[in-house]
Amino acid sequence: MHPNAEIVAKALLDLGATGAIVELPDSARTAQAAAEQLGCEVGAIANSLVFDADGSPLLVMTSGAHRVDTVKVAALVGAAKVRRASPEFVREATGQPIGGVAPVGHPEPIRTLVDVWLDKHDKVWAAGGHPHTVFPTSYGELLRITGGTPAEVE
């Protein structure tokens, strides 16, 4: 298992999460690619998107079927500007590459919003720290393990 996935697996265990890391045969850098490999709806993929909110990292866990409205998210978190973070910013904040960012296992906790749309699925899949790894979870568990805030982000 990739070292990043091992860090995420340990974090999941420490947090009492129910799902285990699954290694995929191909990269799942997009929600569509992950859904195709897992045989689920794209909306059941919990995308981990890191944004730069006035210079601070903000993790938005959104349904793979949605696009994040950065103006709406800025208003939700009280930021003047929220924009997509650069790959370097993402790696510095999470220790993980874009396309594999997990909701946990970061060097420091990151403020997190969790898309309420994910609650429509009994099981959702989140990245496991590397583009070839994912783990099953639920909306409620995502909220708990991330300390996230439910939000409408679309």
Side-chain angles (χ1 to χ4, degrees), residues 63-86:
S63 166
H66 287 167
R67 295 277 179 234
V68 174
D69 180 336
T70 56
V71 173
K72 188 176 198 176
V73 167
L76 287 171
V77 300
K81 183 162 182 95
V82 169
R83 63 177 186 254
R84 201 62 159 286
S86 70

Side-chain angles (χ1 to χ4, degrees), residues 122-143:
D122 292 333
K123 178 171 31 175
V124 296
W125 292 88
H130 183 271
H132 283 263
T133 60
V134 294
F135 68 94
T137 188
S138 67
Y139 175 74
E141 187 172 77
L142 267 180
L143 287 171

